[in-house]
Amino acid sequence: MFTLLKTEGRARRGRFETVHGSVETPVFMNVGTAAAIKGGVSTLDLKNLKCQIELSNTYHLHIRPGDEIVRELGGIHRFFNWDRPVLTDSGGFQVFSLAQLRDISEQGVVFQSHVDGRRIFMGPRESMRIQSNLASTIAMAFDECIENPSPYDYVKRSVERTLRWLHICKDEMERLNALHDTINPRQMLFGINQGGTYDDLRLWHMEEIAKLDLDGYAIGGLAVGEEAEVMYHIIDVVEPAMPRDRPRYLMGVGTPCNILEAVSRGVDFFDCVMPSRNARHGHLFTWQGIINLQNNKYERDGRPIDESCDCEVCRNYSRAYIRHLLRAKEMLGMRLAVMHNLYFYNTLTERIRAALDEGCFAQFKQHYMDILGRRI
Amino acid sequence: MFTLLKTEGRARRGRFETVHGSVETPVFMNVGTAAAIKGGVSTLDLKNLKCQIELSNTYHLHIRPGDEIVRELGGIHRFFNWDRPVLTDSGGFQVFSLAQLRDISEQGVVFQSHVDGRRIFMGPRESMRIQSNLASTIAMAFDECIENPSPYDYVKRSVERTLRWLHICKDEMERLNALHDTINPRQMLFGINQGGTYDDLRLWHMEEIAKLDLDGYAIGGLAVGEEAEVMYHIIDVVEPAMPRDRPRYLMGVGTPCNILEAVSRGVDFFDCVMPSRNARHGHLFTWQGIINLQNNKYERDGRPIDESCDCEVCRNYSRAYIRHLLRAKEMLGMRLAVMHNLYFYNTLTERIRAALDEGCFAQFKQHYMDILGRRI
């Protein structure tokens, strides 16, 4: 259940209650695709990093270790020892981006596993069954992710099919949740808005999915290469049609500035691989801007990544040491860098929430928009 | 200063006091070659893993990031944030095994860096200077590591030179420790016994280095491919000539059974990459024997690696989960496996010490010799 605690303009401060505890929003979900955060970060670490909700992936866990195995072991929470909420992405994005695509039909998609090449079929029912086996807190609807730009007619047919799939997802989840041996009978469903970069299709689709009274609504198919302004525009187009009393999730976004912009447009949930991916290349977020630890100037720099940061990494290790680890390709370098960046993102949303609580989000945003994106 | 607390047969229970705190022996040193434990394990983790003393490498740190940089940052303890003892290997072994060897002379060795190919010279003075810059607790003497077997005449000339180098190392350390800006003016020196597999050369060399009144004595040049029985025999040959009131260190050893055998022959210090290297391949030590987590039978095994182990990994994660991580090549899999194996080794020496304290080491050894080496 979502409670809107406060608003400032279109920005929202909320609380989302689930069977695995509540989530304070706006929130950044930490991505652990295959039930593990890249960079050797465990669920024990996530608690120290202020992570409220973890995101795993239906496609990856279906392929390996297999959702039946996760189910047999008691569901994903027991599998990776995490008692807070987990959102599972539906696999739609991965089926269309990672797998070798074979055939898409009204029923779903036949594709080849990127691991061992075997043929797999996934449609809305299969995605729901897998997510029920995983027993995540929140399941995402199975959708078609199309490239931007795609031809109008194709996008129109695609969103119509994605809408039909959503009806199937909802029915199938109700059926699965009612089974006597379902691990999480209170699993929730978020629908995903699609429609490429066409305002009318986006809006029509959002209005249609809003009618289904789902637990939350996501905007998908963005942050796939289009300009940030296009993304902000799409949010502006669809946001008025999103139910006020349900959380809104902008999938795969983004930079700190993207998050500030999207919060100001009424978005509550985010996820992105950027903090961990950038960390592995030495790109670290600080409250003064972005530093590249590969830079020679950090070779003898005994200061922490960010002197104003109180994460475990900044309290214990220097730029010079982490730079050395990254250059020596020591796993520990990636781990420390990823931990700092995730802590930064989780602290960013924590500070956004505090600013909203205090009614000064506009100033907070204005102040940090200039700072957080610059390379120092 | 080394205090012999108790003996049982030739096995010794001791305490080694250093400027960075004391070490209870027998002890297993945890190897962090480039100032980082492989598998994404930090110095903060090492404390949770019951590590008493960390081992880093002169050669690797000289090549990268450079010992002058470590010195500028306050020495290795500040560099990687560790306040307990650090032993630095002298670089001798690495120069002779890793680098492309160019030329060995009375002065030392000219070789090519394995990182960028540049020509580097290292002899006893250079090794001592680098180790003084690193400011480790214990420096190892610079020696020539020869292959087993090598011709008698070559080994004889080599150990004679290694003895001359040791005199230089001792003088150079005294000089460096006396400089006003030396970071650790109480750095200690361990000599290294060599002599291949020739009893007379081994014994002669040990008798000669024992005369130098060093802080400790190592047996080097073993565990490089010869049979375990050969190694035990060499310990039997040289041990009577090792000063009783100084710690004895068997370099690069070994399996749990090797350690039990060597402790029973009077060895106090050990180091080995085996726990971390094996972990990365899914080979995990337990108190019931060695398991290979890659094995299919662990696919649905919700039990910890070792039900009798109280390490953080066994308290929180299952065989099935760690197996999944290793198969998915998630760094976290390596991290968890390495942490368990290091904890096992540190607990093994802890239990050896307890058995010595209680006067039942012989029974302890007999019981576990049959168990710890078997694959289950």
Side-chain angles (χ1 to χ4, degrees), chain A residues 34-35 38 43-44 72 81 300 316-317 321 324 330-331 334-335, chain B residues 34-35 38 43 72 81 300 316-317 321 324 330-331 334-335:
Chain A
K38 301 289 178 201
T43 47
L44 295 176
E72 205 175 301
N81 191 30
R300 294 152 195 266
N316 288 284
Y317 299 104
Y321 179 57
H324 159 64
E330 287 286 345
M331 258 186 212
M334 296 196 193
R335 173 172 154 86
Chain B
K38 300 291 178 202
T43 47
E72 204 174 301
N81 191 30
R300 295 152 195 264
N316 288 284
Y317 300 104
Y321 180 57
H324 159 65
E330 288 285 346
M331 259 187 214
M334 294 196 197
R335 174 172 154 85

PDB file of all heavy atoms in Angstrom, chain A residues 34-35 38 43-44 72 81 300 316-317 321 324 330-331 334-335, chain B residues 34-35 38 43 72 81 300 316-317 321 324 330-331 334-335:
ATOM      1  N   ALA A  34      21.529 -11.203 -11.037  1.00  0.00           N
ATOM      2  CA  ALA A  34      21.494 -12.658 -10.841  1.00  0.00           C
ATOM      3  C   ALA A  34      21.501 -12.995  -9.350  1.00  0.00           C
ATOM      4  O   ALA A  34      22.157 -13.929  -8.917  1.00  0.00           O
ATOM      5  CB  ALA A  34      22.680 -13.299 -11.557  1.00  0.00           C
ATOM      6  N   ALA A  35      20.765 -12.206  -8.568  1.00  0.00           N
ATOM      7  CA  ALA A  35      20.715 -12.367  -7.111  1.00  0.00           C
ATOM      8  C   ALA A  35      22.069 -12.075  -6.480  1.00  0.00           C
ATOM      9  O   ALA A  35      22.442 -12.666  -5.464  1.00  0.00           O
ATOM     10  CB  ALA A  35      20.193 -13.749  -6.710  1.00  0.00           C
ATOM     11  N   LYS A  38      26.884  -6.734  -8.571  1.00  0.00           N
ATOM     12  CA  LYS A  38      28.198  -6.800  -9.207  1.00  0.00           C
ATOM     13  C   LYS A  38      29.236  -6.148  -8.287  1.00  0.00           C
ATOM     14  O   LYS A  38      28.943  -5.157  -7.620  1.00  0.00           O
ATOM     15  CB  LYS A  38      28.205  -6.057 -10.548  1.00  0.00           C
ATOM     16  CG  LYS A  38      27.207  -6.581 -11.570  1.00  0.00           C
ATOM     17  CD  LYS A  38      27.584  -7.939 -12.120  1.00  0.00           C
ATOM     18  CE  LYS A  38      26.525  -8.437 -13.094  1.00  0.00           C
ATOM     19  NZ  LYS A  38      26.578  -9.902 -13.258  1.00  0.00           N
ATOM     20  N   THR A  43      24.180  -9.285   0.315  1.00  0.00           N
ATOM     21  CA  THR A  43      22.999  -8.714   0.962  1.00  0.00           C
ATOM     22  C   THR A  43      23.343  -8.171   2.357  1.00  0.00           C
ATOM     23  O   THR A  43      22.727  -7.202   2.797  1.00  0.00           O
ATOM     24  CB  THR A  43      21.881  -9.763   1.073  1.00  0.00           C
ATOM     25  OG1 THR A  43      22.435 -10.987   1.579  1.00  0.00           O
ATOM     26  CG2 THR A  43      21.244 -10.036  -0.281  1.00  0.00           C
ATOM     27  N   LEU A  44      24.336  -8.763   3.023  1.00  0.00           N
ATOM     28  CA  LEU A  44      24.774  -8.194   4.307  1.00  0.00           C
ATOM     29  C   LEU A  44      25.334  -6.795   4.079  1.00  0.00           C
ATOM     30  O   LEU A  44      25.077  -5.869   4.841  1.00  0.00           O
ATOM     31  CB  LEU A  44      25.861  -9.058   4.952  1.00  0.00           C
ATOM     32  CG  LEU A  44      25.469 -10.469   5.389  1.00  0.00           C
ATOM     33  CD1 LEU A  44      26.686 -11.205   5.921  1.00  0.00           C
ATOM     34  CD2 LEU A  44      24.370 -10.410   6.453  1.00  0.00           C
ATOM     35  N   GLU A  72      12.387 -24.114  -4.674  1.00  0.00           N
ATOM     36  CA  GLU A  72      12.636 -25.254  -3.791  1.00  0.00           C
ATOM     37  C   GLU A  72      13.417 -24.822  -2.545  1.00  0.00           C
ATOM     38  O   GLU A  72      13.247 -25.394  -1.465  1.00  0.00           O
ATOM     39  CB  GLU A  72      13.432 -26.303  -4.570  1.00  0.00           C
ATOM     40  CG  GLU A  72      13.270 -27.697  -4.050  1.00  0.00           C
ATOM     41  CD  GLU A  72      13.989 -28.680  -4.970  1.00  0.00           C
ATOM     42  OE1 GLU A  72      13.652 -28.752  -6.174  1.00  0.00           O
ATOM     43  OE2 GLU A  72      14.899 -29.352  -4.478  1.00  0.00           O
ATOM     44  N   ASN A  81      19.388 -14.465   1.291  1.00  0.00           N
ATOM     45  CA  ASN A  81      19.401 -13.993   2.676  1.00  0.00           C
ATOM     46  C   ASN A  81      19.158 -12.483   2.795  1.00  0.00           C
ATOM     47  O   ASN A  81      20.039 -11.716   3.175  1.00  0.00           O
ATOM     48  CB  ASN A  81      20.738 -14.362   3.344  1.00  0.00           C
ATOM     49  CG  ASN A  81      20.707 -14.127   4.853  1.00  0.00           C
ATOM     50  OD1 ASN A  81      19.657 -14.237   5.486  1.00  0.00           O
ATOM     51  ND2 ASN A  81      21.848 -13.801   5.426  1.00  0.00           N
ATOM     52  N   ARG A 300      48.945   9.748  -5.288  1.00  0.00           N
ATOM     53  CA  ARG A 300      49.495   9.933  -3.936  1.00  0.00           C
ATOM     54  C   ARG A 300      48.481  10.629  -3.034  1.00  0.00           C
ATOM     55  O   ARG A 300      48.856  11.280  -2.064  1.00  0.00           O
ATOM     56  CB  ARG A 300      50.768  10.801  -4.017  1.00  0.00           C
ATOM     57  CG  ARG A 300      51.908  10.126  -4.746  1.00  0.00           C
ATOM     58  CD  ARG A 300      52.848  11.124  -5.404  1.00  0.00           C
ATOM     59  NE  ARG A 300      53.711  10.466  -6.382  1.00  0.00           N
ATOM     60  CZ  ARG A 300      54.927  10.015  -6.128  1.00  0.00           C
ATOM     61  NH1 ARG A 300      55.459  10.209  -4.951  1.00  0.00           N
ATOM     62  NH2 ARG A 300      55.641   9.397  -7.048  1.00  0.00           N
ATOM     63  N   ASN A 316      37.633   4.366   5.730  1.00  0.00           N
ATOM     64  CA  ASN A 316      38.769   3.455   5.915  1.00  0.00           C
ATOM     65  C   ASN A 316      39.841   3.451   4.836  1.00  0.00           C
ATOM     66  O   ASN A 316      40.960   3.037   5.114  1.00  0.00           O
ATOM     67  CB  ASN A 316      38.247   2.018   6.084  1.00  0.00           C
ATOM     68  CG  ASN A 316      37.576   1.804   7.417  1.00  0.00           C
ATOM     69  OD1 ASN A 316      38.258   1.690   8.435  1.00  0.00           O
ATOM     70  ND2 ASN A 316      36.247   1.802   7.432  1.00  0.00           N
ATOM     71  N   TYR A 317      39.503   3.869   3.627  1.00  0.00           N
ATOM     72  CA  TYR A 317      40.475   3.710   2.545  1.00  0.00           C
ATOM     73  C   TYR A 317      40.647   4.999   1.743  1.00  0.00           C
ATOM     74  O   TYR A 317      39.723   5.791   1.632  1.00  0.00           O
ATOM     75  CB  TYR A 317      40.081   2.537   1.644  1.00  0.00           C
ATOM     76  CG  TYR A 317      40.040   1.236   2.412  1.00  0.00           C
ATOM     77  CD1 TYR A 317      38.822   0.665   2.795  1.00  0.00           C
ATOM     78  CD2 TYR A 317      41.221   0.624   2.817  1.00  0.00           C
ATOM     79  CE1 TYR A 317      38.792  -0.507   3.541  1.00  0.00           C
ATOM     80  CE2 TYR A 317      41.198  -0.539   3.565  1.00  0.00           C
ATOM     81  CZ  TYR A 317      39.987  -1.107   3.927  1.00  0.00           C
ATOM     82  OH  TYR A 317      39.961  -2.247   4.672  1.00  0.00           O
ATOM     83  N   TYR A 321      44.918   4.299  -2.452  1.00  0.00           N
ATOM     84  CA  TYR A 321      44.836   2.844  -2.277  1.00  0.00           C
ATOM     85  C   TYR A 321      43.833   2.235  -3.250  1.00  0.00           C
ATOM     86  O   TYR A 321      44.127   1.246  -3.920  1.00  0.00           O
ATOM     87  CB  TYR A 321      44.440   2.518  -0.829  1.00  0.00           C
ATOM     88  CG  TYR A 321      44.309   1.033  -0.558  1.00  0.00           C
ATOM     89  CD1 TYR A 321      45.366   0.162  -0.793  1.00  0.00           C
ATOM     90  CD2 TYR A 321      43.117   0.502  -0.063  1.00  0.00           C
ATOM     91  CE1 TYR A 321      45.253  -1.204  -0.543  1.00  0.00           C
ATOM     92  CE2 TYR A 321      42.994  -0.866   0.198  1.00  0.00           C
ATOM     93  CZ  TYR A 321      44.064  -1.711  -0.051  1.00  0.00           C
ATOM     94  OH  TYR A 321      43.946  -3.056   0.196  1.00  0.00           O
ATOM     95  N   HIS A 324      45.175   2.251  -6.720  1.00  0.00           N
ATOM     96  CA  HIS A 324      46.145   1.148  -6.865  1.00  0.00           C
ATOM     97  C   HIS A 324      45.425  -0.176  -7.122  1.00  0.00           C
ATOM     98  O   HIS A 324      45.795  -0.943  -8.027  1.00  0.00           O
ATOM     99  CB  HIS A 324      47.011   1.062  -5.606  1.00  0.00           C
ATOM    100  CG  HIS A 324      47.673  -0.267  -5.403  1.00  0.00           C
ATOM    101  ND1 HIS A 324      48.616  -0.769  -6.270  1.00  0.00           N
ATOM    102  CD2 HIS A 324      47.498  -1.222  -4.446  1.00  0.00           C
ATOM    103  CE1 HIS A 324      49.003  -1.968  -5.851  1.00  0.00           C
ATOM    104  NE2 HIS A 324      48.337  -2.269  -4.753  1.00  0.00           N
ATOM    105  N   GLU A 330      42.732  -5.701  -8.875  1.00  0.00           N
ATOM    106  CA  GLU A 330      42.342  -6.446  -7.682  1.00  0.00           C
ATOM    107  C   GLU A 330      40.839  -6.283  -7.499  1.00  0.00           C
ATOM    108  O   GLU A 330      40.318  -5.170  -7.483  1.00  0.00           O
ATOM    109  CB  GLU A 330      43.077  -5.879  -6.452  1.00  0.00           C
ATOM    110  CG  GLU A 330      44.550  -6.212  -6.385  1.00  0.00           C
ATOM    111  CD  GLU A 330      44.813  -7.666  -6.004  1.00  0.00           C
ATOM    112  OE1 GLU A 330      43.886  -8.339  -5.527  1.00  0.00           O
ATOM    113  OE2 GLU A 330      45.956  -8.111  -6.196  1.00  0.00           O
ATOM    114  N   MET A 331      40.145  -7.408  -7.332  1.00  0.00           N
ATOM    115  CA  MET A 331      38.696  -7.376  -7.112  1.00  0.00           C
ATOM    116  C   MET A 331      38.298  -6.393  -6.017  1.00  0.00           C
ATOM    117  O   MET A 331      37.238  -5.784  -6.086  1.00  0.00           O
ATOM    118  CB  MET A 331      38.237  -8.744  -6.631  1.00  0.00           C
ATOM    119  CG  MET A 331      37.602  -9.565  -7.694  1.00  0.00           C
ATOM    120  SD  MET A 331      36.982 -11.055  -6.884  1.00  0.00           S
ATOM    121  CE  MET A 331      37.221 -12.164  -8.250  1.00  0.00           C
ATOM    122  N   MET A 334      37.209  -2.961  -7.161  1.00  0.00           N
ATOM    123  CA  MET A 334      35.832  -2.855  -7.658  1.00  0.00           C
ATOM    124  C   MET A 334      34.852  -2.869  -6.498  1.00  0.00           C
ATOM    125  O   MET A 334      33.904  -2.097  -6.477  1.00  0.00           O
ATOM    126  CB  MET A 334      35.524  -4.022  -8.581  1.00  0.00           C
ATOM    127  CG  MET A 334      36.387  -4.004  -9.818  1.00  0.00           C
ATOM    128  SD  MET A 334      35.700  -5.078 -11.060  1.00  0.00           S
ATOM    129  CE  MET A 334      37.097  -5.170 -12.182  1.00  0.00           C
ATOM    130  N   ARG A 335      35.094  -3.759  -5.571  1.00  0.00           N
ATOM    131  CA  ARG A 335      34.171  -3.850  -4.437  1.00  0.00           C
ATOM    132  C   ARG A 335      34.084  -2.515  -3.699  1.00  0.00           C
ATOM    133  O   ARG A 335      32.991  -2.012  -3.436  1.00  0.00           O
ATOM    134  CB  ARG A 335      34.634  -4.958  -3.480  1.00  0.00           C
ATOM    135  CG  ARG A 335      33.829  -5.014  -2.199  1.00  0.00           C
ATOM    136  CD  ARG A 335      34.174  -6.234  -1.360  1.00  0.00           C
ATOM    137  NE  ARG A 335      33.900  -6.004   0.040  1.00  0.00           N
ATOM    138  CZ  ARG A 335      32.713  -6.197   0.632  1.00  0.00           C
ATOM    139  NH1 ARG A 335      31.712  -6.657  -0.075  1.00  0.00           N
ATOM    140  NH2 ARG A 335      32.537  -5.937   1.893  1.00  0.00           N
TER     141      ARG A 335
ATOM    142  N   ALA B  34      49.559  -7.877  -3.369  1.00  0.00           N
ATOM    143  CA  ALA B  34      49.653  -6.473  -3.785  1.00  0.00           C
ATOM    144  C   ALA B  34      48.895  -5.577  -2.808  1.00  0.00           C
ATOM    145  O   ALA B  34      48.212  -4.644  -3.206  1.00  0.00           O
ATOM    146  CB  ALA B  34      49.109  -6.321  -5.200  1.00  0.00           C
ATOM    147  N   ALA B  35      49.018  -5.880  -1.520  1.00  0.00           N
ATOM    148  CA  ALA B  35      48.303  -5.137  -0.470  1.00  0.00           C
ATOM    149  C   ALA B  35      46.791  -5.309  -0.599  1.00  0.00           C
ATOM    150  O   ALA B  35      46.015  -4.418  -0.277  1.00  0.00           O
ATOM    151  CB  ALA B  35      48.690  -3.656  -0.450  1.00  0.00           C
ATOM    152  N   LYS B  38      43.216 -11.604  -2.529  1.00  0.00           N
ATOM    153  CA  LYS B  38      42.449 -11.964  -3.725  1.00  0.00           C
ATOM    154  C   LYS B  38      41.014 -12.319  -3.325  1.00  0.00           C
ATOM    155  O   LYS B  38      40.781 -12.903  -2.271  1.00  0.00           O
ATOM    156  CB  LYS B  38      43.076 -13.179  -4.418  1.00  0.00           C
ATOM    157  CG  LYS B  38      44.503 -12.991  -4.879  1.00  0.00           C
ATOM    158  CD  LYS B  38      44.629 -12.012  -6.025  1.00  0.00           C
ATOM    159  CE  LYS B  38      46.091 -11.817  -6.419  1.00  0.00           C
ATOM    160  NZ  LYS B  38      46.314 -10.538  -7.132  1.00  0.00           N
ATOM    161  N   THR B  43      41.116  -5.369   4.515  1.00  0.00           N
ATOM    162  CA  THR B  43      41.701  -5.473   5.858  1.00  0.00           C
ATOM    163  C   THR B  43      40.616  -5.457   6.933  1.00  0.00           C
ATOM    164  O   THR B  43      40.786  -6.070   7.984  1.00  0.00           O
ATOM    165  CB  THR B  43      42.702  -4.334   6.103  1.00  0.00           C
ATOM    166  OG1 THR B  43      42.117  -3.094   5.696  1.00  0.00           O
ATOM    167  CG2 THR B  43      43.996  -4.561   5.319  1.00  0.00           C
ATOM    168  N   GLU B  72      55.458   7.507   0.980  1.00  0.00           N
ATOM    169  CA  GLU B  72      54.927   8.870   1.050  1.00  0.00           C
ATOM    170  C   GLU B  72      53.558   8.887   1.745  1.00  0.00           C
ATOM    171  O   GLU B  72      53.202   9.866   2.419  1.00  0.00           O
ATOM    172  CB  GLU B  72      54.793   9.412  -0.373  1.00  0.00           C
ATOM    173  CG  GLU B  72      54.808  10.901  -0.471  1.00  0.00           C
ATOM    174  CD  GLU B  72      54.811  11.327  -1.933  1.00  0.00           C
ATOM    175  OE1 GLU B  72      55.739  10.949  -2.678  1.00  0.00           O
ATOM    176  OE2 GLU B  72      53.869  12.021  -2.323  1.00  0.00           O
ATOM    177  N   ASN B  81      45.284   0.325   5.677  1.00  0.00           N
ATOM    178  CA  ASN B  81      44.478   0.449   6.891  1.00  0.00           C
ATOM    179  C   ASN B  81      44.437  -0.836   7.712  1.00  0.00           C
ATOM    180  O   ASN B  81      43.393  -1.473   7.853  1.00  0.00           O
ATOM    181  CB  ASN B  81      43.052   0.899   6.540  1.00  0.00           C
ATOM    182  CG  ASN B  81      42.264   1.297   7.779  1.00  0.00           C
ATOM    183  OD1 ASN B  81      42.831   1.775   8.765  1.00  0.00           O
ATOM    184  ND2 ASN B  81      40.966   1.103   7.748  1.00  0.00           N
ATOM    185  N   ARG B 300      20.903 -27.880  -5.029  1.00  0.00           N
ATOM    186  CA  ARG B 300      19.715 -27.577  -4.225  1.00  0.00           C
ATOM    187  C   ARG B 300      20.011 -27.720  -2.740  1.00  0.00           C
ATOM    188  O   ARG B 300      19.116 -27.964  -1.938  1.00  0.00           O
ATOM    189  CB  ARG B 300      18.576 -28.548  -4.596  1.00  0.00           C
ATOM    190  CG  ARG B 300      18.091 -28.367  -6.020  1.00  0.00           C
ATOM    191  CD  ARG B 300      17.521 -29.662  -6.596  1.00  0.00           C
ATOM    192  NE  ARG B 300      17.391 -29.549  -8.052  1.00  0.00           N
ATOM    193  CZ  ARG B 300      16.275 -29.200  -8.688  1.00  0.00           C
ATOM    194  NH1 ARG B 300      15.180 -28.970  -8.009  1.00  0.00           N
ATOM    195  NH2 ARG B 300      16.253 -29.082  -9.994  1.00  0.00           N
ATOM    196  N   ASN B 316      25.296 -17.175   6.986  1.00  0.00           N
ATOM    197  CA  ASN B 316      24.354 -16.410   6.164  1.00  0.00           C
ATOM    198  C   ASN B 316      24.019 -16.975   4.790  1.00  0.00           C
ATOM    199  O   ASN B 316      22.983 -16.619   4.235  1.00  0.00           O
ATOM    200  CB  ASN B 316      24.885 -14.983   5.978  1.00  0.00           C
ATOM    201  CG  ASN B 316      24.792 -14.167   7.249  1.00  0.00           C
ATOM    202  OD1 ASN B 316      23.702 -13.730   7.607  1.00  0.00           O
ATOM    203  ND2 ASN B 316      25.896 -14.012   7.965  1.00  0.00           N
ATOM    204  N   TYR B 317      24.891 -17.799   4.228  1.00  0.00           N
ATOM    205  CA  TYR B 317      24.651 -18.220   2.841  1.00  0.00           C
ATOM    206  C   TYR B 317      24.776 -19.737   2.677  1.00  0.00           C
ATOM    207  O   TYR B 317      25.518 -20.393   3.405  1.00  0.00           O
ATOM    208  CB  TYR B 317      25.601 -17.473   1.897  1.00  0.00           C
ATOM    209  CG  TYR B 317      25.392 -15.974   1.971  1.00  0.00           C
ATOM    210  CD1 TYR B 317      26.291 -15.152   2.661  1.00  0.00           C
ATOM    211  CD2 TYR B 317      24.262 -15.387   1.414  1.00  0.00           C
ATOM    212  CE1 TYR B 317      26.076 -13.783   2.771  1.00  0.00           C
ATOM    213  CE2 TYR B 317      24.035 -14.026   1.517  1.00  0.00           C
ATOM    214  CZ  TYR B 317      24.936 -13.222   2.192  1.00  0.00           C
ATOM    215  OH  TYR B 317      24.712 -11.876   2.308  1.00  0.00           O
ATOM    216  N   TYR B 321      23.472 -21.291  -2.991  1.00  0.00           N
ATOM    217  CA  TYR B 321      23.630 -19.892  -3.406  1.00  0.00           C
ATOM    218  C   TYR B 321      25.064 -19.623  -3.861  1.00  0.00           C
ATOM    219  O   TYR B 321      25.283 -19.036  -4.931  1.00  0.00           O
ATOM    220  CB  TYR B 321      23.242 -18.961  -2.252  1.00  0.00           C
ATOM    221  CG  TYR B 321      23.382 -17.486  -2.581  1.00  0.00           C
ATOM    222  CD1 TYR B 321      22.716 -16.931  -3.663  1.00  0.00           C
ATOM    223  CD2 TYR B 321      24.209 -16.656  -1.818  1.00  0.00           C
ATOM    224  CE1 TYR B 321      22.847 -15.579  -3.973  1.00  0.00           C
ATOM    225  CE2 TYR B 321      24.334 -15.306  -2.109  1.00  0.00           C
ATOM    226  CZ  TYR B 321      23.657 -14.771  -3.192  1.00  0.00           C
ATOM    227  OH  TYR B 321      23.790 -13.439  -3.491  1.00  0.00           O
ATOM    228  N   HIS B 324      25.723 -21.206  -7.141  1.00  0.00           N
ATOM    229  CA  HIS B 324      25.120 -20.385  -8.210  1.00  0.00           C
ATOM    230  C   HIS B 324      26.031 -19.199  -8.557  1.00  0.00           C
ATOM    231  O   HIS B 324      26.282 -18.918  -9.737  1.00  0.00           O
ATOM    232  CB  HIS B 324      23.741 -19.895  -7.766  1.00  0.00           C
ATOM    233  CG  HIS B 324      23.246 -18.694  -8.500  1.00  0.00           C
ATOM    234  ND1 HIS B 324      22.955 -18.714  -9.852  1.00  0.00           N
ATOM    235  CD2 HIS B 324      23.026 -17.414  -8.087  1.00  0.00           C
ATOM    236  CE1 HIS B 324      22.563 -17.502 -10.234  1.00  0.00           C
ATOM    237  NE2 HIS B 324      22.595 -16.699  -9.188  1.00  0.00           N
ATOM    238  N   GLU B 330      29.885 -14.576 -10.693  1.00  0.00           N
ATOM    239  CA  GLU B 330      29.684 -13.376  -9.895  1.00  0.00           C
ATOM    240  C   GLU B 330      30.834 -13.266  -8.895  1.00  0.00           C
ATOM    241  O   GLU B 330      31.128 -14.214  -8.169  1.00  0.00           O
ATOM    242  CB  GLU B 330      28.355 -13.472  -9.127  1.00  0.00           C
ATOM    243  CG  GLU B 330      27.122 -13.320  -9.987  1.00  0.00           C
ATOM    244  CD  GLU B 330      26.876 -11.881 -10.424  1.00  0.00           C
ATOM    245  OE1 GLU B 330      27.491 -10.956  -9.863  1.00  0.00           O
ATOM    246  OE2 GLU B 330      26.058 -11.687 -11.346  1.00  0.00           O
ATOM    247  N   MET B 331      31.478 -12.089  -8.858  1.00  0.00           N
ATOM    248  CA  MET B 331      32.576 -11.861  -7.921  1.00  0.00           C
ATOM    249  C   MET B 331      32.224 -12.268  -6.496  1.00  0.00           C
ATOM    250  O   MET B 331      33.065 -12.716  -5.738  1.00  0.00           O
ATOM    251  CB  MET B 331      32.875 -10.362  -7.876  1.00  0.00           C
ATOM    252  CG  MET B 331      34.070  -9.982  -8.680  1.00  0.00           C
ATOM    253  SD  MET B 331      34.376  -8.231  -8.339  1.00  0.00           S
ATOM    254  CE  MET B 331      34.968  -7.781  -9.945  1.00  0.00           C
ATOM    255  N   MET B 334      33.309 -15.698  -5.390  1.00  0.00           N
ATOM    256  CA  MET B 334      34.714 -15.822  -5.000  1.00  0.00           C
ATOM    257  C   MET B 334      34.943 -15.229  -3.622  1.00  0.00           C
ATOM    258  O   MET B 334      35.646 -15.802  -2.791  1.00  0.00           O
ATOM    259  CB  MET B 334      35.594 -15.095  -6.004  1.00  0.00           C
ATOM    260  CG  MET B 334      35.541 -15.746  -7.359  1.00  0.00           C
ATOM    261  SD  MET B 334      36.900 -15.176  -8.367  1.00  0.00           S
ATOM    262  CE  MET B 334      36.295 -15.683  -9.971  1.00  0.00           C
ATOM    263  N   ARG B 335      34.358 -14.065  -3.410  1.00  0.00           N
ATOM    264  CA  ARG B 335      34.550 -13.414  -2.111  1.00  0.00           C
ATOM    265  C   ARG B 335      34.075 -14.321  -0.970  1.00  0.00           C
ATOM    266  O   ARG B 335      34.798 -14.535  -0.003  1.00  0.00           O
ATOM    267  CB  ARG B 335      33.792 -12.085  -2.075  1.00  0.00           C
ATOM    268  CG  ARG B 335      33.817 -11.417  -0.714  1.00  0.00           C
ATOM    269  CD  ARG B 335      33.223 -10.017  -0.755  1.00  0.00           C
ATOM    270  NE  ARG B 335      32.697  -9.636   0.533  1.00  0.00           N
ATOM    271  CZ  ARG B 335      33.411  -9.096   1.526  1.00  0.00           C
ATOM    272  NH1 ARG B 335      34.684  -8.856   1.352  1.00  0.00           N
ATOM    273  NH2 ARG B 335      32.849  -8.789   2.673  1.00  0.00           N
TER     274      ARG B 335
END
